[in-house]
Amino acid sequence: VQPFIENAVWHGVRGLEGRKGFIRIVFYQEDGGLKAVVEDDGVGRKLAEQLKHQMPGKTSKGIGIVLERLKIANYLYKKNYQVLFSDLKPDSVETGTRVIIDIPLKMSR
């Protein structure tokens, strides 16, 4: 979950001007697994992509590592663990971001 929280800070609320941002983190159990939800009311994915050039030298690898681990877990355990990205407020200029992460609790074949 850490790389997604870091992303919410670096790419979501850090780019805000004139107000402080808010990050919300929630965990809950569902279908025998754990879900983590990371939400920020920041600039959103589209604007964050445009602002990326303002952080020279920073290469993020954490989310890619998490996605690769879930891919391996899906293969080994015949599951469909995933990470879902969406806009928190799609009709707003600063859309914010919601990320829902499946976290396997018990790995059994």
Side-chain angles (χ1 to χ4, degrees), residues 6 18-19 36-37 43 45 50 52 56-57 59 64 67 76 79-80 84 90 95 101-102:
E6 185 175 329
R19 71 177 178 92
V37 180
V43 298
R45 296 175 295 155
Q50 295 170 4
K52 240 183 186 177
T59 304
L67 295 175
L76 290 174
K79 299 289 184 179
N80 188 29
L84 303 173
T95 62
I101 307 128
D102 286 335

Side-chain angles (χ1 to χ4, degrees):
V1 176
Q2 180 274 333
F4 300 96
I5 297 168
E6 185 175 329
N7 252 33
V9 173
W10 277 97
H11 303 292
V13 298
R14 182 174 166 263
L16 292 173
E17 293 182 19
R19 71 177 178 92
K20 292 182 180 181
F22 182 79
I23 297 172
R24 178 176 171 250
I25 304 159
V26 176
F27 293 89
Y28 62 93
Q29 281 188 286
E30 182 178 279
D31 298 329
L34 185 67
K35 298 259 188 199
V37 180
V38 179
E39 295 177 342
D40 70 71
D41 68 345
V43 298
R45 296 175 295 155
K46 186 176 181 181
L47 188 54
E49 184 65 31
Q50 295 170 4
L51 297 173
K52 240 183 186 177
H53 70 277
Q54 295 178 2
M55 292 185 291
K58 177 152 176 30
T59 304
S60 179
K61 296 180 181 167
I63 290 177
I65 291 168
V66 170
L67 295 175
E68 186 63 28
R69 285 180 179 171
L70 285 178
K71 183 178 173 182
I72 292 167
N74 286 336
Y75 175 78
L76 290 174
Y77 302 107
K78 310 295 187 251
K79 299 289 184 179
N80 188 29
Y81 300 118
Q82 54 188 331
V83 177
L84 303 173
F85 298 88
S86 62
D87 294 332
L88 191 59
K89 299 176 277 179
D91 297 330
S92 180
V93 173
E94 293 177 343
T95 62
T97 303
R98 173 182 294 124
V99 182
I100 302 172
I101 307 128
D102 286 335
I103 302 172
L105 283 180
K106 186 176 182 182
M107 296 284 213
S108 59
R109 290 186 195 197

